[in-house]
């Protein structure tokens, strides 16, 4: 029986302690975004594609499973484990690196990455985005991308559960 190599996208998944070394090889401007991305849907991939277009490379930092649970999205969330969410995220062509954070906010990853562009979805006013002051302070930009497709994982799960 043949053996198969791990998919190339698996190499995009980077532990926080290895992030600085991996960032060095990425082109600038560097885009940073974060979130749970529990069940990937059209709203997510549209947003991620738009975010990536703001720079030459993009890092996505995922909430760990414990961090998602603290957000109060429901006792059964996340549906997908961090490892599964990271693999799905890394498989997207618009994503250059995937890492994670266990804290309630991604500020440590933002300070570690020093992105040129910080991005969140349209439900975040720009000045409320974690890392706003820091990124502006080193000359970067901060964007809140309006939702183009009104989708949410919570709504999707509600629809699935009502079937």
């Amino acid at each position: 029986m043949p053996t198969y190599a791990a998919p190339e996208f698996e190499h995009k998944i980077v532990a926080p302690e290895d992030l600085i070394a991996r960032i060095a090889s990425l082109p600038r401007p560097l885009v940073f975004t974060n979130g749970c991305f529990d069940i990937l849907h059209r709203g997510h991939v549209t947003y991620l594609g738009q975010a990536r277009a703001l720079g030459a490379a993009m890092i996505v930092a995922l909430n760990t499973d414990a961090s998602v649970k603290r957000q109060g999205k429901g006792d059964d969330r996340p549906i997908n484990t961090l490892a599964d969410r990271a693999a799905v995220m890394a498989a997207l062509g618009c994503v250059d690196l995937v890492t994670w954070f266990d804290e309630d906010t991604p500020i440590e990853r933002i300070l570690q990455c020093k992105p040129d562009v910080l991005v969140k979805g349209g439900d975040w006013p720009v000045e409320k985005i974690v890392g706003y002051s820091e990124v502006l302070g080193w000359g970067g930009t901060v964007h809140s991308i309006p939702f183009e497709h009104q989708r949410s994982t919570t709504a999707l799960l509600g629809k699935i559960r009502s079937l």
Side-chain angles (χ1 to χ4, degrees):
M1 190 154 181
T3 58
Y4 301 98
E8 188 62 32
F9 67 78
E10 294 279 352
H11 300 290
K12 294 182 184 180
I13 301 169
V14 182
E17 58 270 17
D18 300 325
L19 195 55
I20 292 173
R22 292 288 299 277
I23 289 171
S25 66
L26 293 179
R28 294 281 182 155
L30 179 62
V31 177
F32 180 99
T33 192
N34 68 278
C36 302
F37 299 103
D38 192 4
I39 297 177
L40 212 55
H41 54 69
R42 185 178 186 180
H44 288 142
V45 296
T46 299
Y47 160 77
L48 291 165
Q50 291 171 320
R52 173 58 172 77
L54 296 171
M58 183 167 72
I59 296 173
V60 178
L62 299 174
N63 295 74
T64 62
D65 297 346
S67 178
V68 172
K69 288 194 179 304
R70 290 193 304 271
Q71 290 184 349
K73 292 179 181 253
D75 293 340
D76 60 348
R77 298 284 300 278
I79 300 295
N80 290 298
T81 65
L82 174 62
D84 290 346
R85 291 181 287 122
V88 170
M89 187 62 63
L92 298 176
C94 62
V95 176
D96 295 281
L97 291 180
V98 178
T99 192
W100 56 88
F101 61 98
D102 192 45
E103 301 79 14
D104 291 339
T105 75
I107 191 64
E108 291 304 317
R109 288 307 145 268
I110 293 167
L111 295 173
Q112 190 178 20
C113 295
K114 291 208 174 19
D116 305 291
V117 183
L118 177 61
V119 184
K120 285 293 284 179
D123 53 339
W124 284 87
V126 174
E127 60 281 349
K128 298 279 187 191
I129 295 173
V130 171
Y132 169 81
S133 298
E134 291 81 359
V135 172
L136 289 181
W138 59 64
T141 60
V142 181
H143 302 262
S144 178
I145 297 178
F147 294 135
E148 197 167 306
H149 303 283
Q150 296 304 313
R151 306 284 189 278
S152 80
T153 301
T154 302
L156 182 59
L157 287 171
K159 184 176 180 179
I160 291 167
R161 290 174 176 142
S162 71
L163 297 177

